């Protein structure tokens, strides 16, 4: 599982404040801690800043990349923000995200092609996120066609079937699981999800998120945007990896155990 650390997100108030006040130390520590905890990549989001999102994103990318050596996942809806981020990013960034929305296809897809970077594609269009599995699969089909037409390697194409809160519709996790399995079965693309939406407004959210991750991994999900500083989540992930034969000779599991980081 490709682990994308979620914490450098301007929706988290102290992070937003650190971005606004250009607090390098706070941001770099949060970057370093996530990588030390096992993140392969870090999501960076500046959407909730107040002044100039382009400037905030450029500062954030440069500040993070001078502390850690992992690629960043540029989480923004404005093409101008993504473009600035790609111009200063060292190495191969991931773009989060495109969708079937006309504006994103018109403005963000050309950046994916120009920079040849991996991209997350959301199963939504200008009408929103379809309620049904079938509706989302129709969008996934069109997204795969767009990837092929634009010669984007499907290996670099991460479809996010967008899990919605169970509290809104008690079938929402099931709809997500069905989308995930069908997409894996039909296309040679990768799949990805954030973990936190599923548990929105329910108590003990981390418990639900952890179970959700386990079930997604069993269905072959390739990447997740998650909190690598949640030790119980990362412990479940390590256990899932040995159960799925994703951890040769249990090496990573045993190493984590010896380092005293695994929780039961
Ligand atoms: N798919 C894609 N991109 C996404 C999401 C997705 N980007 C945003 C979001 N979902 C994933 N990122 C976050 C970032 C922060 C939090 C949740 C999702 C968050 N963090 C709290 C904190 O760190 O303080 C709480 C963490 C916790 O208690 O678990 O809420 O789905 N493509």
């Amino acid at each position: 599982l490709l682990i994308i650390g979620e914490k450098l997100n301007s929706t988290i108030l102290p992070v937003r404040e650190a971005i606004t006040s250009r607090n390098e130390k706070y941001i770099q520590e949060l970057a370093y801690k996530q990588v030390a905890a096992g993140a392969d990549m870090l999501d960076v989001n500046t959407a909730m800043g107040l002044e100039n999102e382009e400037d905030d994103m450029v500062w954030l990318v440069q500040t993070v990349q001078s502390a850690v050596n992992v690629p960043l996942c540029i989480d923004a809806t404005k093409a101008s923000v993504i473009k600035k981020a790609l111009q200063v990013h060292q190495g191969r960034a991931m773009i989060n995200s495109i969708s079937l929305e006309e504006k994103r296809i018109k403005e963000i897809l050309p950046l994916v092609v120009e920079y040849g970077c991996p991209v997350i594609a959301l199963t939504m269009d200008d009408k929103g996120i379809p309620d049904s599995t079938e509706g989302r699969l129709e969008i996934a089909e069109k997204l795969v066609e767009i990837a092929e037409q634009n010669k984007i390697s499907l290996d670099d194409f991460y479809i996010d079937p967008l899990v919605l809160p169970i509290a809104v519709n008690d079938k929402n996790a099931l709809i997500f699981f069905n989308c995930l399995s069908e997409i894996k079965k039909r296309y040679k693309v990768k799949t990805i999800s954030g973990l936190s939406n599923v548990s929105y407004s329910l108590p003990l959210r981390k418990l639900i998120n952890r179970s959700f991750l386990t079930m997604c991994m069993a269905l072959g999900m390739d990447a997740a945007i998650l909190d690598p500083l949640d030790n119980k989540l990362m412990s479940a992930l390590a256990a899932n990896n040995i159960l799925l034969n994703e951890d040769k000779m249990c090496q990573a599991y045993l190493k984590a155990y010896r380092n005293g980081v695994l929780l039961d």
Side-chain angles (χ1 to χ4, degrees):
L1 187 85
L2 181 81
I3 300 169
I4 305 177
E6 72 180 15
K7 307 228 49 122
L8 293 170
N9 192 306
S10 59
T11 58
I12 302 169
L13 187 57
V15 175
R16 187 190 318 165
E17 287 168 351
I19 295 168
T20 307
S21 66
R22 299 291 188 257
N23 185 340
E24 280 190 16
K25 186 163 178 282
Y26 184 92
I27 295 296
Q28 290 179 336
E29 268 178 21
L30 199 45
Y32 179 81
K33 280 195 281 187
Q34 290 184 89
V35 173
D40 301 301
M41 220 183 245
L42 299 176
D43 190 83
V44 287
N45 170 294
T46 48
M48 299 288 279
L50 298 169
E51 306 250 320
N52 186 326
E53 193 183 345
E54 285 84 3
D55 290 350
D56 286 351
M57 181 59 89
V58 165
W59 176 82
L60 187 58
V61 167
Q62 291 178 326
T63 302
V64 173
Q65 287 208 301
S66 42
V68 294
N69 252 320
V70 297
L72 305 184
C73 179
I74 312 301
D75 188 350
T77 47
K78 287 169 70 180
S80 60
V81 172
I82 295 176
K83 190 181 170 78
K84 289 271 186 189
L86 294 173
Q87 284 169 349
V88 297
H89 187 279
Q90 307 287 315
R92 233 166 142 245
M94 182 183 275
I95 295 179
N96 185 9
S97 52
I98 61 164
S99 70
L100 216 55
E101 291 159 286
E102 212 168 303
K103 195 165 191 282
R104 292 210 203 191
I105 292 294
K106 185 163 157 266
E107 297 179 359
I108 303 176
L109 180 66
L111 296 172
V112 177
V113 173
E114 181 184 347
Y115 286 85
C117 33
V119 63
I120 299 173
L122 312 176
T123 57
M124 66 180 290
D125 61 14
D126 288 301
K127 286 185 272 188
I129 305 168
D131 291 323
S132 69
T133 303
E134 294 70 29
R136 286 187 216 176
L137 290 175
E138 274 173 34
I139 294 180
E141 166 107 36
K142 289 180 187 152
L143 289 168
V144 172
E145 281 169 17
I146 288 173
E148 285 171 338
Q149 282 159 8
N150 288 276
K151 309 217 163 17
I152 298 167
S153 160
L154 296 187
D155 234 20
D156 285 334
F157 202 68
Y158 289 80
I159 296 188
D160 183 340
L162 289 170
V163 67
L164 294 173
I166 291 171
V168 172
N169 171 352
D170 53 18
K171 295 193 177 57
N172 269 337
L174 277 184
I175 293 168
F176 178 89
F177 295 141
N178 288 334
C179 288
L180 195 61
S181 332
E182 275 306 311
I183 290 167
K184 291 248 48 142
K185 197 154 79 187
R186 294 183 190 179
Y187 315 110
K188 290 193 164 65
V189 294
K190 297 207 163 141
T191 51
I192 186 167
S193 176
L195 303 185
S196 57
N197 284 347
V198 72
S199 60
Y200 179 76
S201 92
L202 286 166
L204 303 181
R205 293 185 63 179
K206 288 183 182 197
L207 170 63
I208 300 167
N209 296 351
R210 196 158 70 232
S211 224
F212 179 67
L213 174 69
T214 298
M215 297 174 79
C216 290
M217 287 176 73
L219 294 173
M221 192 169 75
D222 301 281
I225 306 175
L226 54 75
D227 179 2
L229 305 185
D230 179 341
N231 290 332
K232 283 179 117 177
L233 180 68
M234 295 304 279
S235 298
L237 199 156
N240 294 344
N241 277 335
I242 64 172
L243 293 168
L244 293 167
N245 191 24
E246 292 285 330
D247 178 7
K248 206 160 167 262
M249 309 278 272
C250 307
Q251 277 174 4
Y253 182 85
L254 293 170
K255 185 174 172 211
Y257 171 71
R258 285 192 299 271
N259 289 338
V261 295
L262 289 189
L263 299 174
D264 65 10

